Amino acid sequence: MILELDCGNSLIKWRVLDLGSALIVAQGASVSVDELLGELAGLTVLRVSRARVASVRGDDETMMLCSRLSEKLAVEVMRAAPAKELAGVINGYRDYERLGMDRWLAIVGAFQLSRSALLVLDLGTAVTADLVDASGVHLGGYICPGISLLRQQLHTHTRRISYNIEQVAASDYETAPGRSTAEAVERGCLMMLRSFVSVQILQASDYLGDDFAVYVTGGDADLIENCGRVTRVPDLVFRGLAIACP
């Protein structure tokens, strides 16, 4: 068994794969290293033989995570590293080491699916969009706040906006004018997310031509399924991680 981890800004997403069949035998998401280790403690029967990690967190925090995993599971832990080129994809950043590991691996994973021009959208704490041409050259991308950050900024910087998040969920897909502060905020943030995605798809043709794929991943991916021509691939980062750390 191999343990895969995607350490994002908010959560540590993980899954365990069977080496023979590549089937997912366990998966989850943890808010801390301690919670992660607690969840993994019950998986000793799965006999994890090695682990690989993708992380956007600081070096010290990531090294600590790898060290504790190695000690706890008694396995080698491989960490994905920045690269100028991988699996036919050329990193488009002027300083390739500055491209977020989650973005890079999602791009690499997506390119293997179509080997064509593509737009990759990752909808998490931050929302990212990256363009890759048909020859595998990463043309660059965009970063903006995700729904949780938009909501947080309104709560923090607007005196009279305060409500229980449980009152209204953006996942209701409702976009009619809100008749309460909670509805107005949640639906407004949802419309901003969908508008960003729509603009990205619209302008991508300026750089990629009319024939390109659109792949979406991340925790809020289900919120844009009605935006058209998008293919949801929840494990894009893990797909890239398997290539970076075979």
Side-chain angles (χ1 to χ4, degrees):
M1 303 288 179
I2 184 165
L3 171 66
E4 298 182 322
L5 300 106
D6 172 12
C7 303
N9 293 298
S10 302
L11 295 171
I12 302 173
K13 297 172 283 293
W14 59 270
R15 69 183 189 181
V16 178
L17 298 180
D18 178 81
L19 285 173
S21 64
L23 293 176
I24 301 171
V25 296
Q27 61 185 327
S30 307
V31 298
S32 67
V33 176
D34 288 335
E35 181 177 299
L36 169 67
L37 293 175
E39 292 179 334
L40 295 178
L43 301 179
T44 52
V45 67
L46 297 180
R47 298 180 183 175
V48 171
S49 59
R50 63 179 187 267
R52 52 194 176 207
V53 175
S55 178
V56 299
R57 303 186 178 192
D59 285 339
D60 290 344
E61 184 178 358
T62 302
M63 289 175 63
M64 179 272 291
L65 167 65
C66 292
S67 177
R68 293 187 65 183
L69 278 174
S70 180
E71 179 181 352
K72 182 75 173 180
L73 302 177
V75 298
E76 176 189 5
V77 179
M78 300 176 66
R79 178 183 175 185
K84 291 183 180 180
E85 184 175 355
L86 179 63
V89 182
I90 299 173
N91 194 315
Y93 260 29
R94 296 184 186 92
D95 180 357
Y96 74 92
E97 294 184 336
R98 299 293 295 174
L99 178 60
M101 187 55 58
D102 53 347
R103 290 172 64 194
W104 173 237
L105 295 179
I107 292 167
V108 170
F111 191 69
Q112 313 314 309
L113 295 174
S114 63
R115 291 282 175 174
S116 63
L118 53 89
L119 169 66
V120 180
L121 300 162
D122 191 340
L123 311 184
T125 303
V127 172
T128 62
D130 286 283
L131 297 97
V132 180
D133 71 16
S135 61
V137 177
H138 174 226
L139 304 180
Y142 303 87
I143 305 173
C144 71
I147 279 185
S148 62
L149 287 180
L150 290 172
R151 180 193 297 127
Q152 180 181 329
Q153 288 301 303
L154 284 171
H155 277 241
T156 302
H157 297 290
T158 309
R159 292 180 183 274
R160 296 181 65 84
I161 290 183
S162 179
Y163 63 92
N164 187 333
I165 301 301
E166 303 302 322
Q167 288 179 263
V168 179
S171 58
D172 290 339
Y173 303 107
E174 180 62 61
T175 55
R179 303 190 66 181
S180 69
T181 298
E183 288 180 353
V185 170
E186 293 297 315
R187 296 175 187 182
C189 290
L190 175 59
M191 291 181 72
M192 288 190 71
L193 176 65
R194 289 179 174 174
S195 296
F196 175 82
V197 169
S198 296
V199 168
Q200 289 299 321
I201 294 173
L202 182 64
Q203 79 154 14
S205 60
D206 294 340
Y207 303 95
L208 304 175
D210 294 329
D211 185 17
F212 62 92
V214 182
Y215 295 110
V216 61
T217 193
D220 287 333
D222 59 327
L223 299 179
I224 65 159
E225 288 184 342
N226 64 345
C227 287
R229 73 175 295 177
V230 301
T231 300
R232 186 179 180 189
V233 186
D235 64 346
L236 272 184
V237 174
F238 285 133
R239 288 171 181 258
L241 177 60
I243 297 169
C245 300

